Amino acid sequence: MSDRKITLVRHGKVNGKAALYGHTDIELSEQGKLDLRNTMEHVHQDSAIDRILSSPLTRCAALATEFSLQHQIPLHIEPELMEMHFGKWDGIAFDELGDEWVNLENFWQTPHSAQPPGGESLNDFAQRVITAWELLLSNDGYQHQLVLCHGGVIRIIIAHILQLDWRNPALFRQLQIDYASHTRIDISSFPNALPLVRWIGAR
């Protein structure tokens, strides 16, 4: 078995106002598409990708499909890689939240206990992402898998790999995962090798 790589790529900038876009299916801006294409090409040139996994949301799946067809790379759409569902706040511009802004502030302070109204709990979100990650990790038939997903998903995966407490609000408030950035995970071929975080959020 050869050494393996997994590159986590966040989608590009979306075509909308500043908001929590969880399950809201918004497209990328033109600049967002350009940035994401450039990142994916850079990653592929650095180390050839032999499998792509993508969130089913348009801001990921559209360019994942385009890139897959262009380079003849197998693509798997994985629903468990969707961003957290923010319920009543999902897709609503921050300047239009009104009285809900106070509740959103509470969520940022204690995301593990202040569940978005009508949305997904942080625990449920983390568990589905970790399950998807462990399944991906168990598939050792590929040398370099690219995962096109979301900022929250990448943060949970990093916390899981490093055995950090994903309930810590600092993970979401102080760990910057830019649009169209890439995070590299390496797995050595020796038995029981632990995933190594090579870099986070590179552009």
Side-chain angles (χ1 to χ4, degrees), residues 98-117:
D99 293 342
E100 280 297 316
W101 185 257
V102 175
N103 295 326
L104 180 57
E105 281 289 313
N106 291 335
F107 173 72
W108 288 129
Q109 295 293 332
T110 56
H112 65 284
S113 60
Q115 182 173 340

Side-chain angles (χ1 to χ4, degrees), residues 11-17 19 21 26-29 32 59 179:
H11 59 79
K13 183 175 176 59
V14 298
N15 188 26
K17 293 183 177 181
Y21 293 106
I26 187 171
E27 295 184 348
L28 297 180
S29 67
R59 57 192 185 269
Y179 288 124

Side-chain angles (χ1 to χ4, degrees), residues 32-82:
K33 293 175 185 177
L34 178 62
D35 291 342
L36 184 55
R37 288 190 185 104
N38 287 341
T39 294
M40 294 175 74
E41 288 291 350
H42 170 79
V43 170
H44 189 48
Q45 289 172 13
D46 176 64
S47 178
I49 300 162
D50 55 1
R51 187 188 189 213
I52 300 170
L53 292 92
S54 174
S55 158
L57 294 170
T58 300
R59 57 192 185 269
C60 295
L63 259 68
T65 301
E66 174 189 292
F67 196 83
S68 168
L69 292 172
Q70 179 183 355
H71 294 280
Q72 295 298 294
I73 301 170
L75 169 65
H76 173 69
I77 301 296
E78 178 50 69
E80 302 303 300
L81 293 173
M82 290 175 70

Side-chain angles (χ1 to χ4, degrees), residues 151-167:
V153 172
I154 294 170
R155 289 179 176 91
I156 292 295
I157 291 173
I158 290 171
H160 178 65
I161 290 172
L162 299 179
Q163 300 181 41
L164 304 176
D165 185 359
W166 46 258
R167 296 170 298 180

Side-chain angles (χ1 to χ4, degrees), residues 91-133:
I92 306 300
F94 290 139
D95 59 8
E96 297 173 8
L97 280 172
D99 293 342
E100 280 297 316
W101 185 257
V102 175
N103 295 326
L104 180 57
E105 281 289 313
N106 291 335
F107 173 72
W108 288 129
Q109 295 293 332
T110 56
H112 65 284
S113 60
Q115 182 173 340
E120 188 174 22
S121 71
L122 182 60
N123 180 71
D124 288 346
F125 171 57
Q127 293 308 315
R128 70 169 166 83
V129 169
I130 290 168
T131 298
W133 168 254

